[in-house]
Amino acid sequence: MNIVLLGAPGAGKGTQAEKLIEAYDIAHISTGDILRASVKAGTPLGLEAKSYMDAGELVPDSVVIGLVKERLQEEDAEGGSILDGFPRTAAQAEALSSELEAMGRGIDFAIAVNVDPEVIVGRLCNRRLCKVCGYIGNVDDAVCPLCGGEMFQRDDDNPEVVRNRLDVYEKSTAPLIDYYRGAGILVEVNGELSPNEVFANIQSIIN
Ligand code: AMP
């Protein structure tokens, strides 16, 4: 099963992806996570990606498409994958479809997690993540509620960059909702419900 999670930054794609991989035996492919790990490791890819990420701009298609193609070949992705934060442009969507087709696979669902932009800005500016396990929480979590790890704020979760990320989303990524609707695989969920309610709705669609 291959699922594309669509939605603005902060819509809750990462949280739902974590729940999905726990419930189904499929790989989590988050281009944001891969890019952040490369930035942290100081690899050539990370050095190239950092300036785009710091500004809330998209990393060039050629770079992220290459990353996802490689990631899809990994063993844990054989049984399927949750694509979280990819595709973000029409070119990426086309590349994903061709790559999956070449592998004899396809996208089962494109799930759009819908959240009002005003809610998004508040969520992103208050978002905090666990340094140890990656748990996605908020400013009220003094330490990680799952593992006790230290919480931190992403560099790009500041008001100025958040606004740009939302503009970029509207311009480049939101049109993919129509793209997948046209392909007959779009489902939409209300992302303003609690994470567990959103997940229950997603599960009822998948099952
Ligand atoms: P995310 O964690 O998905 O919010 O991604 C963080 C940042 O990584 C984005 O603002 C982009 O700069 C970059 N990024 C992640 N995924 C992509 C993608 N599919 N295409 C281009 N840039 C991406």
Side-chain angles (χ1 to χ4, degrees), residues 9-11 15 117-130 135-143 145 151-163 165-166:
T15 300
E118 285 306 310
V119 176
I120 293 277
V121 175
R123 272 194 193 178
L124 287 178
C125 295
N126 289 328
R127 180 162 72 177
R128 300 292 185 275
L129 294 96
C130 174
Y135 169 78
I136 304 165
N138 63 48
V139 69
D140 296 328
D141 297 312
V143 293
M151 303 292 285
F152 75 100
Q153 182 173 32
R154 271 173 48 171
D155 289 344
D156 58 354
D157 279 350
N158 71 69
E160 200 182 316
V161 179
V162 161
R163 265 190 293 277
R165 287 162 67 200
L166 286 176

Side-chain angles (χ1 to χ4, degrees), residues 71-159:
R71 183 67 184 84
L72 283 169
Q73 306 293 338
E74 285 176 31
E75 204 181 322
D76 66 334
E78 270 172 20
S81 51
I82 303 290
L83 289 134
D84 161 14
F86 183 96
R88 266 177 151 100
T89 64
Q92 292 179 18
E94 294 289 350
L96 177 64
S97 296
S98 332
E99 185 65 14
L100 287 173
E101 199 180 319
M103 297 170 83
R105 305 182 198 168
I107 300 167
D108 298 277
F109 303 101
I111 302 176
V113 184
N114 295 329
V115 177
D116 187 277
E118 285 306 310
V119 176
I120 293 277
V121 175
R123 272 194 193 178
L124 287 178
C125 295
N126 289 328
R127 180 162 72 177
R128 300 292 185 275
L129 294 96
C130 174
K131 272 189 179 172
V132 180
C133 72
Y135 169 78
I136 304 165
N138 63 48
V139 69
D140 296 328
D141 297 312
V143 293
C144 174
L146 298 186
C147 76
E150 189 185 334
M151 303 292 285
F152 75 100
Q153 182 173 32
R154 271 173 48 171
D155 289 344
D156 58 354
D157 279 350
N158 71 69

